[in-house]
Amino acid sequence: MRVGSLFSALVGVAAGLSIRAVKPSAGVEALVQRRLPQHAGLFQFTIVDPISQPATGTFGQNVSESYVVSSLNNGKIHIQGNTPSALLSGLHAYLSEEAHVDIWWYIGSQLENAHRQLPKLYAPLKGSSVVPYRYYFNTVAMAVTTSYTSAFWTWEDWELQLDWMALRGVNLALAWIGVEKIFIEVFKEVGLTDAEIATFLSGPAFMAWNNFGNIQGSWGGDLPISWVDSQFALQKKIVARMVELGMTPILPAFPGFAPRAISRVFPNITAANGSVWEGFPTQYTADTFIDPFDPVFEQLQKSFIAKQAEAYGNVTRFYTLDQFNENNPPSGELDYLHNVSQNTWKTLKAADPMAVWVMQGWLFTSNSAFWTNSRIQAFIEGVPINSDMLILDLVSESSPQWQRTNSYYGKPWVWCELHGYGGNMGLYGQVQNVTVNSIQALSASKSLVGFGVTMEGQEGNEVMYDLILSQAWSAKPIDTEAYFHDWVAARYSISKKGPASTSLYEAWETLRTSVFNNTNLTSTGVPKSIMELIPSISGLVNRTGHHPTSINYNPASMVQGWNYLYKAAQQDPSLWANPSYNYDLVDFTRQVLANAFIPLYQQIVATYTKSRLSAKCRGDALKKQGQQLIKLMTVYDAVLSTDKNFRLDTWISAARASASDAKTADFLEYEARNQITLWGPSGQISDYASKAWSGLVSTYYIPRWEKFIDYLVETEPAKYNQTAFAASLLQWEINWTNQKTGGKLQNNAVEKLQTVLPGAVKVWNAVSAA
Ligand SMILES: *[C@@H]1O[C@H](CO)[C@@H](O)[C@H](O)[C@H]1NC(C)=O
Ligand SMILES: *[C@@H]1O[C@H](CO)[C@@H](O)[C@H](O)[C@H]1NC(C)=O
Ligand SMILES: *[C@@H]1O[C@H](CO)[C@@H](O)[C@H](O)[C@H]1NC(C)=O
Ligand SMILES: *[C@@H]1O[C@H](CO)[C@@H](O)[C@H](O)[C@H]1NC(C)=O
Ligand SMILES: *[C@@H]1O[C@H](CO)[C@@H](O)[C@H](O)[C@H]1NC(C)=O
Ligand SMILES: *[C@@H]1O[C@H](CO)[C@@H](O)[C@H](O)[C@H]1NC(C)=O
Ligand SMILES: *[C@@H]1O[C@H](CO)[C@@H](O)[C@H](O)[C@H]1NC(C)=O
Ligand SMILES: *[C@@H]1O[C@H](CO)[C@@H](O)[C@H](O)[C@H]1NC(C)=O
Ligand SMILES: *[C@@H]1O[C@H](CO)[C@@H](O)[C@H](O)[C@H]1NC(C)=O
Ligand SMILES: *[C@@H]1O[C@H](CO)[C@@H](O)[C@H](O)[C@H]1NC(C)=O
Ligand SMILES: *[C@@H]1O[C@H](CO)[C@@H](O)[C@H](O)[C@H]1NC(C)=O
């Protein structure tokens, strides 16, 4: 085992010798003060034999971090580790496994639920990382994660997120917020006007794809400068907090995309238009790309990096830079590709001699036809020093590229779990691939230096993301049965054994071996409900790929897990007050009802296409079946409304609240609405980022299905025309994105889940009996 000798040496030291103890990290103690103020005095932190994160040139898998947690005679919990991240991982192991509390997405910190007297340890808890880096965020995504998930987050939301990441051992993370400020200053410095820059920058919900050169400009209104400034202020706090928590921020670098008018200020510049992305009008795509050979590229790179260093300090050597994400290079000639990366690398090194170029490998998956092995090799080897690059193998659990590229021809790389696209919501997991394949990769590839998480949106399925981050501290594939058991104990802060805890464990165990054990890799991401798609008589069910609609498990397992979960609150009604329980029961019910929608839909299609009924009888049957479908969607919406994390108004009010004035708030509401529906001025990638949210179901999906039923009733099957039907929806959809609700709740007064659930069970019973 590569970490063997160092591992035992460190543990030996930490276990008792305390050879060279230094003052504990202030950041770790501050986190404890923030999240566990009542218990803060009960923890003692000691950094023992500190190691620093590998500097450039010294990437190595055998740089191991470790922790030891033990009980002291005075009752305190003593956590020793060799880095702040190791201390935090030790703290997390103790809190989740022993005290049965944790901090969660959406739900927030439940750490204060820990018993006033912390459990005593009879034997020390020990852990040691098997990879030097634990990476977080999708580049197509801090970027994409920031657009789909955190576009409208406040500092409090970020604080929670960063504490979540820190406790789970993340030590390398994208810090991409507020980058527009840097772009604006760099462009202004060379003489571009505000108006010219405005035609380039995209809106707050779409910035990620602007940074990739996929889109430019903003439909529906220009990017508000007040918003740019507020994001920049946020980024300063984020970066400082990351550093405090032992995480290295990865900052953006200048990728080469610029306003069209760059050729006005540099008339001799060599630049080309990139490809048209997803059918967007050219005004909004085919971004101008400055040739990396042109001296202007280096000038802008130096300016960009210097302005960032001035704003955030000397905090990192890691820079994220992607030029050809869903955007092909102008030439596929090997020599050219080699030159492009070499020149880009030179500009980075000119700006910061220590720079490491972090690049995401999505392009190799998404456009594997262009990116043949020889082209990948030519491009990657343009960077002559291996440790000057770090590649994110972006979808290692489903479409890994590291094998075919011979471990990226020696460049350090990170095994990443992507899991879900567009923040779509569906229960899903690959427990085997995440645990077994990641560890297999570690022994098969010398240049694997990290495990990471690269979801497009934090859509749920938190256990699956926890799993890969935990795997970074286990040399063998994690035993997922034991893992899920511990996870459930922490999830619901289970303090005593009983029938309710048994039901909770059974609920998740049922899903672990079914819903979370997808092995059919025709589906490579979280499935979405067909409810969220433009209705059609064909092509909705059994979709494969990264927005699958195919259900790759027996739906009865989902129902069984749901029954166990519901039963737990009948056995212990105090669970109704537990926010994790409320969240999960909404989520499980959501999946059960979404699955039940499929047979109802199929029945309608069969009535329409197969029955030999007269037009009148067919119409009557369709209306009746349509009512059943709408009834299911109505109760679905009501269930979702019982948890703020499943509501449209939460998203819209966050968008509005991030504005400094009413006009900006209206624009941000438009952005928020457009992203989750039409995604583009007129539905360029409609429903890509669809959501199972109350309010969206009631005001967007239900009306679309009602219009569909009406269309079927009035249209002879022989005259069915999907193009015409979809076109008839478009103006209505555009109108929906232009609505302003001020973020108010869109459905009737919200009831408690406990009150709504019997109605959902009744509807489900009726559907399943039919
Ligand atoms: C890492 O391990 C390799 C091979 O086991 C060894 O040659 C090298 O010196 C080690 N590096 C460090 C920093 O311990
Ligand atoms: C652009 O190139 C032309 C011809 O080589 C030269 O005369 C001119 O000075 C250049 N302009 C700039 C701004 O470099
Ligand atoms: C890029 O696109 C713009 C707008 O479509 C066009 O005016 C310009 O000529 C194009 N530039 C190049 C270099 O093709
Ligand atoms: C930044 O810090 C590193 C050490 O962490 C140091 O080697 C480097 O010289 C510093 N760079 C600048 C520009 O101060
Ligand atoms: C690549 O760069 C080399 C050296 O700078 C140059 O000779 C060659 O023509 C370039 N090739 C291409 C295709 O740009
Ligand atoms: C995922 O695991 C399955 C077995 O469950 C295996 O067949 C498949 O090759 C793995 N997928 C990848 C991408 O490694
Ligand atoms: C997952 O499914 C595979 C293939 O059916 C099976 O071999 C494996 O035992 C299952 N694992 C779990 C945890 O259920
Ligand atoms: C995997 O899923 C696809 C799409 O639903 C289906 O066609 C195929 O039969 C499945 N494969 C297996 C082995 O179940
Ligand atoms: C979808 O897949 C399931 C399971 O493979 C199959 O029974 C069903 O016929 C398929 N439906 C359609 C419409 O393809
Ligand atoms: C379907 O509708 C579209 C758009 O209204 C129209 O262009 C097309 O000709 C129609 N197709 C048929 C087969 O009628
Ligand atoms: C869209 O809104 C406009 C303006 O309010 C209205 O005139 C039009 O009827 C609406 N169209 C649809 C299809 O709802």
Side-chain angles (χ1 to χ4, degrees), residues 260 271-273 282-283 286 288:
R260 288 259 190 268
N273 291 352
T282 45
Q283 176 191 1
T288 303

Side-chain angles (χ1 to χ4, degrees), residues 148 205-206 209 215 217-220 277-281 284 670-689 700 730 733-734 737-738:
Y148 285 136
F206 303 100
W209 301 274
I215 59 171
S218 176
W219 51 96
W277 189 69
E278 300 287 354
F280 272 74
Y284 296 124
Y670 170 76
E671 289 272 302
R673 286 171 172 269
N674 184 271
Q675 187 209 66
I676 57 174
T677 55
L678 292 173
W679 212 130
S682 53
Q684 276 66 21
I685 50 171
S686 213
D687 302 317
Y688 181 97
Y700 196 74
L730 185 61
E733 291 169 329
I734 289 173
T737 63
N738 285 325

Side-chain angles (χ1 to χ4, degrees), residues 100-179:
H100 297 173
V101 289
D102 210 332
I103 178 171
W104 309 103
W105 290 343
Y106 318 112
I107 293 153
S109 176
Q110 302 292 305
L111 296 176
E112 273 299 64
N113 288 348
H115 195 277
R116 210 162 44 84
Q117 255 176 339
L118 292 172
K120 183 177 161 71
L121 287 172
Y122 295 94
L125 281 180
K126 294 179 185 174
S128 191
S129 70
V130 298
V131 281
Y133 293 107
R134 280 84 59 193
Y135 169 83
Y136 205 85
F137 283 124
N138 185 330
T139 345
V140 189
M142 168 106 166
V144 173
T145 324
T146 51
S147 291
Y148 285 136
T149 300
S150 63
F152 308 117
W153 276 2
T154 62
W155 170 236
E156 287 66 37
D157 296 326
W158 272 106
E159 281 196 289
L160 187 75
Q161 173 77 17
L162 295 173
D163 286 349
W164 184 101
M165 287 157 57
L167 281 169
R168 281 158 174 77
V170 171
N171 63 359
L172 186 66
L174 285 181
W176 189 303
I177 302 299
V179 62

Side-chain angles (χ1 to χ4, degrees), residues 220-404:
D222 284 349
L223 177 65
I225 292 303
S226 59
W227 203 82
V228 171
D229 288 337
S230 69
Q231 294 299 297
F232 182 57
L234 198 52
Q235 165 81 345
K236 287 184 181 167
K237 289 188 184 178
I238 292 170
V239 169
R241 179 61 60 79
M242 280 182 174
V243 171
E244 194 184 309
L245 290 171
M247 284 180 234
T248 300
I250 305 176
L251 293 174
F254 179 68
F257 302 106
R260 288 259 190 268
I262 195 77
S263 52
R264 178 185 66 74
V265 291
F266 297 109
N268 292 346
I269 199 169
T270 313
N273 291 352
S275 26
V276 169
W277 189 69
E278 300 287 354
F280 272 74
T282 45
Q283 176 191 1
Y284 296 124
T285 186
D287 296 22
T288 303
F289 179 63
I290 301 172
D291 197 310
F293 307 86
D294 195 291
V296 171
F297 195 111
E298 181 175 315
Q299 181 187 343
L300 298 185
Q301 188 69 277
K302 282 177 162 166
S303 164
F304 193 100
I305 301 288
K307 285 185 185 355
Q308 275 188 157
E310 195 188 319
Y312 315 128
N314 180 16
V315 292
T316 192
R317 299 179 300 277
F318 291 89
Y319 299 95
T320 174
L321 194 164
D322 295 291
Q323 299 166 311
F324 303 120
N325 174 70
E326 299 182 10
N327 187 9
N328 281 349
S331 157
E333 206 188 308
L334 301 187
D335 206 16
Y336 172 81
L337 293 171
H338 186 270
N339 283 5
V340 165
S341 60
Q342 186 144 90
N343 281 282
T344 303
W345 167 78
K346 281 182 186 159
T347 70
L348 261 184
K349 290 306 226 190
D352 177 353
M354 311 266 285
V356 175
W357 174 358
V358 181
M359 178 182 163
Q360 54 96 1
W362 172 249
L363 66 176
F364 306 138
T365 305
S366 76
N367 199 353
S368 52
F370 178 89
W371 287 104
T372 58
N373 279 11
S374 51
R375 283 179 178 160
I376 296 175
Q377 182 166 12
F379 188 78
I380 285 178
E381 290 186 345
V383 175
I385 300 168
N386 280 349
S387 57
D388 276 357
M389 206 170 200
L390 178 63
I391 295 181
L392 306 174
D393 190 67
L394 216 70
V395 204
S396 309
E397 82 280 20
S398 292
S399 53
Q401 304 294 312
W402 63 270
Q403 290 107 327
R404 78 150 162 138

